[in-house]
Amino acid sequence: MTIEKTPLSIRIGRRQFSAGLLGLAVTAVIPGLGLAQGAGAAAGGAAAQKIADHFSSVKTMMGEFVQFGPRGEQTGGKFYIERPGKLRFNFEDPSPLRVIADGRNVVVGNVKLSTWDIYPLSKTPLSLLLANKIDLSDDAVRSVKQETDLTTIVLGNKTIFGDSTITIMFDSKTYDLRQWTITDNQGKDTSVMIYNVQTGVSLDDKVFTIPYDQVK
């Protein structure tokens, strides 16, 4: 088991899950990241796959987060990830929100009201990030930018996500995840700072159980 000392960021939120996961706007593309044709594109794709292989080798992850919403609201909580396809975000009180993926579906719920929105995992960007192996051999890589301390990869897949894109940032030396960005169809982001991250942990299956009897 390893412990990630350096905080990393993941941009994620209920707005993105409830409406944006099924069709995010292409506002996450960062200007100037377009790959050149030919050798430049091939090199960028190879670099992206190398980083993706390292990221997908991390089978379990857990930690704490602090979320900053699009209007400046702030809350915290705990998160859990297990490949393939499982994720959970528990927001601390007074927020009643839960986000759970069980390998088949993703739900966003209000535990106080017992209301849940459900989406097929295969139709969300999470299906790519939570796969056992992240395959970037097709046309998923829109752009790659390599810098001394940070590598930024922009992904898109029209077949699965329509016109949506997801931007992921990794440490250029360790290949550790630093941030991913999902932007809603109004161009609004939700930022989540994650800390006390542990990898290679054992997680109970109940962590990723969706209360299907409550899903309407």
Side-chain angles (χ1 to χ4, degrees):
M1 181 178 70
T2 59
I3 298 178
E4 174 63 63
K5 298 291 187 180
T6 306
L8 56 94
S9 304
I10 296 178
R11 294 174 184 264
I12 202 166
R14 189 175 190 276
R15 180 187 299 274
Q16 284 87 336
F17 277 96
S18 60
L21 278 181
L22 302 184
L24 303 176
V26 191
T27 52
V29 177
I30 301 174
L33 298 192
L35 286 173
Q37 296 297 316
Q49 186 61 62
K50 188 174 182 179
I51 293 174
D53 288 345
H54 174 82
F55 176 54
S56 60
S57 72
V58 179
K59 299 306 181 183
T60 60
M61 179 184 298
M62 63 180 291
E64 299 175 73
F65 68 88
V66 178
Q67 174 179 285
F68 301 90
R71 295 183 298 276
E73 64 273 26
Q74 178 178 332
T75 187
K78 296 182 178 181
F79 78 94
Y80 310 85
I81 291 174
E82 180 178 308
R83 297 180 188 280
K86 297 180 180 181
L87 171 147
R88 184 182 185 105
F89 276 76
N90 288 344
F91 291 77
E92 65 187 11
D93 293 337
S95 174
L97 294 183
R98 298 289 185 273
V99 179
I100 307 172
D102 66 355
R104 295 185 298 130
N105 298 302
V106 184
V107 293
V108 182
N110 184 314
V111 294
K112 290 185 178 179
L113 299 178
S114 295
T115 58
W116 298 84
D117 298 320
I118 186 169
Y119 310 96
L121 178 64
S122 62
K123 299 301 182 181
T124 76
L126 287 177
S127 64
L128 177 62
L129 290 179
L130 299 177
N132 256 333
K133 179 175 175 56
I134 301 174
D135 185 3
L136 303 183
S137 60
D138 57 12
D139 295 329
V141 181
R142 299 286 182 86
S143 59
V144 177
K145 182 178 181 181
Q146 293 179 283
E147 299 176 294
T148 302
D149 58 346
L150 204 64
T151 298
T152 303
I153 304 172
V154 181
L155 303 175
N157 187 318
K158 283 185 174 294
T159 301
I160 300 177
F161 311 140
D163 288 330
S164 68
T165 60
I166 182 167
T167 300
I168 317 172
M169 295 182 180
F170 298 87
D171 185 293
S172 293
K173 296 180 180 179
T174 66
Y175 295 166
D176 290 336
L177 176 65
R178 289 289 174 258
Q179 173 177 311
W180 80 61
T181 299
I182 298 176
T183 306
D184 69 16
N185 55 13
Q186 298 180 351
K188 296 181 179 180
D189 295 334
T190 299
S191 300
V192 179
M193 301 297 296
I194 292 181
Y195 58 99
N196 291 339
V197 177
Q198 301 178 50
T199 61
V201 295
S202 179
L203 299 173
D204 194 309
D205 288 342
K206 294 180 181 178
V207 171
F208 308 106
T209 298
I210 291 177
Y212 284 104
D213 58 326
Q214 298 180 28
V215 176
K216 306 301 183 182

